[in-house]
Amino acid sequence: MDWSAHFPAYVAPEPLSKPLADGILSEAAIRPLVKPVTVADVGCGFGGLLVALSPLLPDDLILGLEIRTQVQAFTHSRILALRAQSISTTTPKNSQSSSTTNYQNISSLRANTMKFLPNLIPRASLTRLFLCFPDPHFKARKHKARIVSPTLVAEYAYVMREGGWVYVITDVRDLYDWIRACFDGTAVVEQDNDDHYNGQPREEDGRSELWEEVSEEERERDICMRAVRDETEEGRKVQRNGGDKFAACWRRRRDPEWPLDIVED
């Protein structure tokens, strides 16, 4: 993945090799970043959370992922406009310790996270992952389209570092209970013509060993929680309408040890 167009202030000075003929870049000619993306907002919408997180996490590169073409285009334009409007003479090196922001550490990408997240984000690279006000997909036949499911919880674990946090917030109680069950490893999955999914909780698949819930006290002390509650467009809509918000966080556990019988084989 060539991130130079997304975080131009954080690319290495020179590519690893010269471009091929006709201006085509070889894989080695792509200019790498001086540091990796460590924070992702899945379903970033119009970028409200990205903009709020930029000054809160100045040492992190933050990527918003959005599947809707026009929404992502708006978010991308919004970030470019904020960068242009910002008045800053700091370089990326010393801006990492600055309390101000020029919005160089945020960007957005149009992507289907459910299909391609492991292709975009390397293994064990994220410290924070945000899932804010996802589409509830109320009908049972549409539950497979939810961005939190037993399968996707395992994929989120793949891209998270040990100790990394996943932030979840929704205004739909049924969806909140479903998300909790997915992370706890007790979600009931039903699929026709598949004996492996028999409508029973699947604790044996190991999902419960990947995550531990963050306590409410620790969660509320986190610097990102106010932004999670109040800075997204959906969060503001819920607040204007006087609705409830249900939030939870999970921490990535250390990978479980391989069973001895497998190691010996």
Side-chain angles (χ1 to χ4, degrees):
M1 180 70 187
D2 183 8
W3 295 109
S4 60
H6 292 274
F7 303 100
Y10 292 90
V11 296
E14 296 293 338
L16 300 179
S17 67
K18 294 182 179 180
L20 300 176
D22 301 325
I24 300 175
L25 289 176
S26 67
E27 183 176 354
I30 295 175
R31 297 172 64 185
L33 298 178
V34 296
K35 58 183 179 179
V37 173
T38 54
V39 179
D41 179 13
V42 176
C44 65
F46 296 97
L49 183 60
L50 293 176
V51 173
L53 291 177
S54 182
L56 292 177
L57 305 173
D59 296 333
D60 292 283
L61 296 188
I62 308 168
L63 180 67
L65 299 165
E66 175 59 50
I67 195 173
R68 295 169 292 178
T69 303
Q70 293 182 331
V71 174
Q72 188 276 329
F74 173 88
T75 303
H76 180 68
S77 299
R78 179 183 184 183
I79 293 172
L80 293 180
L82 288 170
R83 290 177 180 176
Q85 293 170 4
S86 64
I87 303 174
S88 176
T89 59
T90 58
T91 63
K93 182 177 181 180
N94 57 36
S95 67
Q96 293 174 10
S97 60
S98 173
S99 60
T100 61
T101 182
N102 54 13
Y103 302 101
Q104 294 288 344
N105 66 330
I106 59 174
S107 186
S108 67
L109 176 69
R110 183 184 177 275
N112 186 331
T113 305
M114 296 175 65
K115 291 184 178 180
F116 302 118
L117 182 64
N119 301 98
L120 297 170
I121 305 296
R123 180 178 181 272
S125 59
L126 296 184
T127 59
R128 301 174 192 267
L129 178 68
F130 296 89
L131 306 169
C132 299
F133 299 98
D135 191 329
H137 292 291
F138 290 106
K139 295 183 179 179
R141 63 183 178 84
K142 296 291 289 182
H143 284 183
K144 61 184 179 181
R146 289 176 170 176
I147 65 170
V148 177
S149 68
T151 301
L152 290 174
V153 161
E155 291 198 6
Y156 296 146
Y158 175 84
V159 299
M160 295 297 296
R161 294 181 187 176
E162 178 185 336
W165 283 30
V166 172
Y167 300 73
V168 175
I169 188 168
T170 179
D171 59 327
V172 179
R173 182 71 200 202
D174 289 345
L175 178 61
Y176 175 73
D177 293 338
W178 162 260
I179 292 173
R180 293 186 64 88
C182 288
F183 277 96
D184 293 342
T186 58
V188 175
V189 180
E190 296 183 1
Q191 291 189 1
D192 296 334
N193 302 321
D194 190 340
D195 294 336
H196 184 61
Y197 296 93
N198 56 9
Q200 299 299 319
R202 296 169 54 211
E203 297 183 34
E204 71 279 2
D205 64 7
R207 282 179 287 117
S208 59
E209 299 182 16
L210 298 174
W211 303 98
E212 62 177 352
E213 188 171 1
V214 177
S215 68
E216 181 178 0
E217 180 181 358
E218 185 178 2
R219 183 183 74 212
E220 295 305 321
R221 290 200 307 266
D222 185 78
I223 60 173
C224 297
M225 275 310 300
R226 191 197 67 79
V228 168
R229 292 183 183 278
D230 302 331
E231 296 299 334
T232 66
E233 289 75 19
E234 285 295 325
R236 291 172 178 173
K237 184 194 301 183
V238 172
Q239 188 169 355
R240 287 196 303 269
N241 295 334
D244 295 323
K245 300 177 185 179
F246 308 100
C249 296
W250 282 268
R251 181 186 292 109
R252 176 69 160 92
R253 288 177 170 173
R254 180 190 297 271
D255 286 332
E257 299 292 336
W258 285 93
L260 292 178
D261 56 343
I262 295 179
V263 174
E264 293 173 356
D265 294 341

